[in-house]
Amino acid sequence: MAAGPGIPPRVAGSPFRAARSARNYPHLIARVLELDLVDVTYSGATTLNLLDEPQNGTPPQIDTLDGTESLVTITIGGNDVGYVPALMAAALPRAVRRLPLVGPRIRSALDPVARDQALSLVGDALSTVGNEVRRRAPLARVVFVDYLTLLPPADTPAPPLTAEEADLGRHIADELAEITASVAAETGCEIARASRASRDHHAWSTEPWAEGAGSAVAALLNRGPAPFHPNAAGMRAVADLVVELLRPDQ
């Protein structure tokens, strides 16, 4: 969500699988605030990839901190709870669900019990992230940036998702947003609530800040945003939100 998969151009020299856009919200914030940016966003990252585990050979993101930072922004947790994977599974053709190898994975992604179990664990993981970033970057303002609203309001169609699938997505998004805000407060971090700012700009709206089911192939070729991820307008909106938080009088 922070990397900006499919929004051209890619960051020169960045790992291909990171799908890191030079127009993602960290880059836009850095330009406005005239900051030197170290962008370690990486598509598909979990809190483990941020804290402990290399991702496709790339060191944990937190290792880039050296204590000189003035600002650290963090968007994480969605992959821990299977948020976008659930939406992408729901958007697949129904026939795919009957395939021997793929079907069980899709059903697992859309299992409400499994998603609630993941949500029950993500708070502790996010707390560790907040505390550890503050420890390693003691001079920085640390801002959690939650996820743009992807789905329309309840009882509003979101094809090709069924009503039940859309409700599951809303539940995951709402719970994750509240957990993130709570963790930010508990760990002495700040919160930029992109989820609230984007309620009228969901992927099915007339002015979307995120892509709907979209085309994974187009995103892979860097010719359009990844499905259920921010578009260029969404990245600009998130950057503006963070800048406003940091400079409320401007």
Side-chain angles (χ1 to χ4, degrees):
M1 288 291 189
I7 302 174
R10 290 178 183 266
V11 174
S14 61
F16 179 80
R17 294 173 72 175
R20 191 178 297 157
S21 171
R23 294 165 63 201
N24 63 20
Y25 82 73
H27 278 82
L28 300 178
I29 293 169
R31 289 170 198 161
V32 171
L33 300 182
E34 299 182 333
L35 297 174
D36 293 327
L37 173 66
V38 179
D39 183 359
V40 291
T41 57
Y42 204 115
S43 295
T46 66
T47 53
L48 286 176
N49 298 130
L50 193 154
L51 291 166
D52 300 308
E53 292 186 0
Q55 187 174 3
N56 302 318
T58 300
Q61 295 176 20
I62 203 167
D63 287 355
T64 195
L65 299 178
D66 63 12
T68 64
E69 296 78 18
S70 60
L71 172 66
V72 181
T73 60
I74 307 165
T75 299
I76 200 72
N79 289 315
D80 291 56
V81 301
Y83 176 32
V84 169
L87 298 181
M88 295 185 76
L92 290 172
R94 294 298 182 265
V96 175
R97 304 184 187 194
R98 296 192 291 271
L99 297 176
L101 296 179
V102 180
R105 296 180 64 180
I106 294 174
R107 289 191 290 272
S108 176
L110 294 171
D111 180 1
V113 174
R115 300 289 64 77
D116 279 335
Q117 288 175 341
L119 284 163
S120 72
L121 300 174
V122 76
D124 286 344
L126 290 173
S127 291
T128 301
V129 169
N131 286 323
E132 187 63 11
V133 170
R134 281 179 47 78
R135 185 185 72 82
R136 296 200 189 197
L139 304 178
R141 292 180 72 170
V142 181
V143 181
F144 278 95
V145 183
D146 72 2
Y147 291 78
L148 288 171
T149 295
L150 300 178
L151 294 164
D155 300 322
T156 303
L161 280 63
T162 66
E164 183 180 35
E165 291 163 350
D167 283 342
L168 174 62
R170 293 186 193 96
H171 169 68
I172 298 170
D174 291 346
E175 290 295 313
L176 183 58
E178 292 310 309
I179 292 169
T180 303
S182 177
V183 164
E186 291 168 2
T187 58
C189 300
E190 300 175 70
I191 181 73
R193 301 201 70 157
S195 56
R196 287 184 176 177
S198 58
R199 283 176 178 167
D200 294 332
H201 298 277
H202 56 81
W204 282 262
S205 69
T206 56
E207 296 182 357
W209 288 353
E211 187 76 0
S215 171
V217 173
L220 185 64
L221 296 174
N222 220 41
R223 294 177 180 172
F228 303 110
H229 281 74
N231 58 27
M235 284 297 186
R236 287 194 300 271
V238 172
D240 290 345
L241 184 68
V242 176
V243 170
E244 182 180 1
L245 175 69
L246 298 172
R247 292 181 171 178
D249 298 328
Q250 297 188 23

